Amino acid sequence: AHSLYLGTRLAETAGTIEVSVDGGTPVSVALGVPGEDALVRWPLGEYGAGEHVVSALHTGAQGTYFYFDFLEVAAAAASLPECDPIPDYTLATDWDTDHSLAVAPERTAWMIDSLGFRGRANHYVGALWFYELLRQGHQYASATVEFIAAPAPSQISELKIGRVGEPPERRTVIQHLNNAGDTEETLARAFELEINRGYTAIRAVADGPRLTIFARAMGNEGNNITIEAGPAGFVEVSGPTLTGGVDGEWRTDLQATPRLNRAVRDWSRSYYAALTARGIDVTAAFSMELQHGDPSVEAGIAQRYPDGLPALLNTPALQTNFSPPSRTFWKAVYLEMAGLLAEAGHVPYLQFGEVQWWYFPNGSGMPLYDAYTRERFRAEHGRDPRIATSNHEAPALFAEELGFWSRLLGEFTAEIMTHVRAVHPDCRFEVLYPPDVNETGFNRLLNYPAEHWTPAALDCLKTESFTYTFLRDLNLCQESIDFSRSKGFPRSKRAHLVGISDPTTAWEREGRLARGEVEAVVLFALDQFCLVGYGLRLAEGARRALRQG
């Protein structure tokens, strides 16, 4: 017997479906879950060999949907087949995807190993969730309760706490039996002690006869808490609800120690240890992107276009610059990750993953004009940098600017390498360089500091060219592969990253082109390899496609 599964989504917008197999009794399945949006494999039962007909009918309310993804047949087995080892290939992993966030690190390492990929692993630590967060500009909602007279002994003073729209009978009633000698001040203190004893929605602070009640929920959510007080004439409330709650904005905490948050530290430590046990080397990669990076001028970490707008990417993330606050943050990040690699038994290997200045302009020009960069250029050259309106500018017109910008990039990577090697002298470093988005003469000079990124300084130059892959242009892919050789890097210090998300491209052929020229071919990425459902073993022949007719 084989198990049959329906692939669909649990989502706030999902409705109810009726599913039947081979005309059997339909089973109603409710897929709507508030606040959710997740893929699921829904078990339909076990069936014997042969043809089967699955019917799935959306029966939900108007405005809800049935998200059909796949039908899957799975055969139970005690063990998986052994895959032939591929010593110079690997599948990249990404902390920002569910193969990291939602899968045990030991399982991710097992998947890579069991599929036969034994090349140096490439783990992108991400741009979205690896750092600590703080919330700027937020305020907790609050209300004040003023005890203006002490009720007579044996009377009951009370507060009623609820939520906007909630029936009165569901509100929480907090009471105090007035004792002889109670005053307005002791009543406020009594309610403070009771509320702080264990209520999860609110907390309280007493100051004389005034009790201030704060929402525990951050921001605007606290404004939905209702409050009443009694008895009338003895107590006054500032309003029917808590007020003043402001959501604020989550930002990367640039000062937190450690900079890497607990989740990524624990997952990475376990993942690296699992790879060590399987004899697989690994590189940890960062690019200069922060989903919650502060784009304000005051923070000073954002790359900026000539019109002053920050460089916000569709990752979504902020592209950071090379100012002192930014350098201080990234030096700490790289050093902490080197420590995790060493702790797990690896000689640390770190990647500068797309640390270059960004590649494209907005309507006003290239993102090269933050305050730090402008002021430093002005100090060195006695004038403001010229405005590069596009990445197709003639390099000769920007000779001083391109030399300065490129040197700034090289100094940044050199400073991080020096900082990390002061603690881990054996730490290895590589640069990920994309020739496709640097194909203009302007970008080639801007984004490659030749005096810093040399075979003597770096342990590897890794190339990628997803654009060329998706254009299905193997000639350009070959040029990308050859780029590191043109910079003097020997085969032992060259690697190539191949995008595999589109199964109609010649990514396998690109991998074979690279295989004989580099020490490692990285397929991006594990989740795409599994979700697309690529087969093993990978093709090795010099096959070609030809369209006739």
Side-chain angles (χ1 to χ4, degrees):
H2 290 70
S3 298
L4 185 60
Y5 295 90
L6 169 67
T8 183
R9 276 164 60 184
L10 297 178
E12 192 162 3
T13 54
T16 301
I17 59 173
E18 287 188 355
V19 185
S20 65
V21 181
D22 296 333
T25 303
V27 176
S28 181
V29 181
L31 301 172
V33 180
E36 286 294 326
D37 188 359
L39 287 171
V40 294
R41 296 164 69 245
W42 196 274
L44 302 179
E46 293 190 351
Y47 301 89
E51 293 185 357
H52 299 277
V53 177
V54 178
S55 173
L57 177 66
H58 179 229
T59 59
Q62 185 175 1
T64 63
Y65 303 91
F66 167 39
Y67 300 97
F68 172 75
D69 194 12
F70 60 83
L71 288 172
E72 180 181 77
V73 178
S79 61
L80 294 177
E82 291 289 332
C83 296
D84 295 334
I86 314 174
D88 51 356
Y89 269 81
T90 191
L91 292 169
T93 50
D94 190 336
W95 166 251
D96 293 333
T97 70
D98 279 350
H99 272 81
S100 296
L101 288 171
V103 176
E106 294 82 1
R107 181 178 175 184
T108 300
W110 165 81
M111 282 191 285
I112 293 173
D113 186 38
S114 64
L115 290 170
F117 292 96
R118 307 290 165 76
R120 173 164 53 91
N122 193 156
H123 181 59
Y124 181 47
V125 188
L128 306 182
W129 305 113
F130 70 84
Y131 38 79
E132 295 286 357
L133 288 168
L134 56 83
R135 207 170 192 181
Q136 294 181 349
H138 82 277
Q139 296 183 33
Y140 288 94
S142 64
T144 58
V145 179
E146 193 84 27
F147 292 93
I148 56 177
S154 300
Q155 281 191 317
I156 293 177
S157 298
E158 67 178 19
L159 299 177
K160 294 181 179 179
I161 306 296
R163 295 189 64 80
V164 172
E166 185 179 57
E169 62 270 17
R170 295 191 59 185
R171 294 173 185 168
T172 298
V173 180
I174 306 172
Q175 294 184 328
H176 173 73
L177 178 63
N178 301 328
N179 297 310
D182 261 337
T183 65
E184 295 86 343
E185 289 79 5
T186 63
L187 290 177
R189 182 69 66 188
F191 278 98
E192 176 196 43
L193 295 172
E194 174 62 22
I195 290 171
N196 293 340
R197 187 174 62 87
Y199 289 84
T200 58
I202 56 174
R203 65 179 180 87
V205 175
D207 181 14
R210 173 174 292 181
L211 180 72
T212 304
I213 296 177
F214 296 93
R216 292 190 184 272
M218 298 183 78
N220 187 62
E221 179 67 19
N223 295 331
N224 293 319
I225 296 176
T226 62
I227 183 170
E228 298 178 45
F234 293 90
V235 58
E236 292 180 350
V237 182
S238 57
T241 68
L242 275 60
T243 60
V246 178
D247 282 341
E249 294 182 280
W250 288 107
R251 296 299 184 201
T252 302
D253 189 343
L254 300 177
Q255 309 300 325
T257 302
R259 301 300 200 279
L260 301 175
N261 63 45
R262 174 69 181 273
V264 78
R265 295 200 313 271
D266 287 356
W267 195 96
S268 299
R269 184 184 292 111
S270 297
Y271 181 54
Y272 300 152
L275 291 173
T276 300
R278 296 176 182 277
I280 299 175
D281 197 8
V282 60
T283 300
F286 295 94
S287 63
M288 295 180 65
E289 300 174 56
L290 298 171
Q291 177 182 203
H292 297 94
D294 189 340
S296 69
V297 173
E298 293 74 22
I301 65 168
Q303 290 187 12
R304 293 191 179 277
Y305 297 100
D307 58 9
L309 292 178
L312 297 173
L313 313 175
N314 62 4
T315 316
L318 174 78
Q319 185 79 4
T320 61
N321 60 22
F322 304 123
S323 65
S326 181
R327 291 202 310 268
T328 298
F329 174 80
W330 287 112
K331 285 193 295 185
V333 165
Y334 276 88
L335 179 59
E336 289 171 20
M337 187 54 68
L340 293 175
L341 285 161
E343 182 184 331
H346 292 276
V347 176
Y349 210 140
L350 300 172
Q351 179 194 111
F352 298 109
E354 292 190 313
V355 304
Q356 302 91 9
W357 288 105
W358 211 238
Y359 315 114
F360 307 109
N362 73 353
S364 68
M366 298 289 284
L368 304 165
Y369 298 95
D370 61 273
Y372 170 78
T373 304
R374 284 177 181 263
E375 291 167 6
R376 183 169 163 185
F377 182 88
R378 189 182 301 116
E380 293 185 17
H381 295 277
R383 63 175 178 84
D384 288 332
R386 294 181 177 89
I387 301 301
T389 59
S390 81
N391 54 3
H392 291 275
E393 296 278 15
L397 300 178
F398 293 85
E400 289 183 331
E401 284 84 356
L402 286 170
F404 169 78
W405 290 326
S406 179
R407 175 163 49 87
L408 203 60
L409 169 57
E411 289 175 355
F412 172 78
T413 56
E415 186 173 332
I416 287 180
M417 288 190 283
T418 299
H419 182 73
V420 174
R421 284 175 174 157
V423 180
H424 302 280
D426 56 352
C427 186
R428 300 166 290 172
F429 287 90
E430 74 176 13
V431 164
L432 177 66
Y433 184 81
D436 54 348
V437 291
N438 285 306
E439 61 184 1
T440 67
F442 185 92
N443 274 18
R444 286 283 176 100
L445 292 175
L446 170 68
N447 285 323
Y448 198 92
E451 70 277 15
H452 289 91
W453 293 357
T454 66
L458 298 173
D459 294 279
C460 185
L461 180 60
K462 180 176 286 179
T463 50
E464 71 168 18
S465 52
F466 287 8
T467 305
Y468 297 161
T469 305
F470 298 148
L471 288 175
R472 296 160 177 79
D473 193 325
L474 288 173
N475 291 325
L476 290 177
C477 290
Q478 183 67 64
E479 290 181 15
S480 179
I481 296 166
D482 293 340
F483 180 85
S484 52
R485 181 172 57 194
S486 73
K487 294 299 182 180
F489 285 81
R491 182 181 184 277
S492 60
K493 288 191 169 188
R494 301 173 61 203
H496 188 63
L497 184 71
V498 183
I500 64 173
S501 62
D502 186 343
T504 68
T505 63
W507 65 265
E508 284 191 82
R509 176 64 171 161
E510 182 180 347
R512 292 197 301 273
L513 290 174
R515 193 174 188 185
E517 302 187 29
V518 302
E519 57 96 9
V521 177
V522 182
L523 305 180
F524 195 88
L526 171 64
D527 54 333
Q528 293 159 348
F529 192 88
C530 295
L531 291 172
V532 174
Y534 291 117
L536 290 170
R537 87 187 244 174
L538 295 178
E540 296 183 358
R543 298 178 296 177
R544 67 191 180 101
L546 180 64
R547 180 177 179 179
Q548 296 179 324

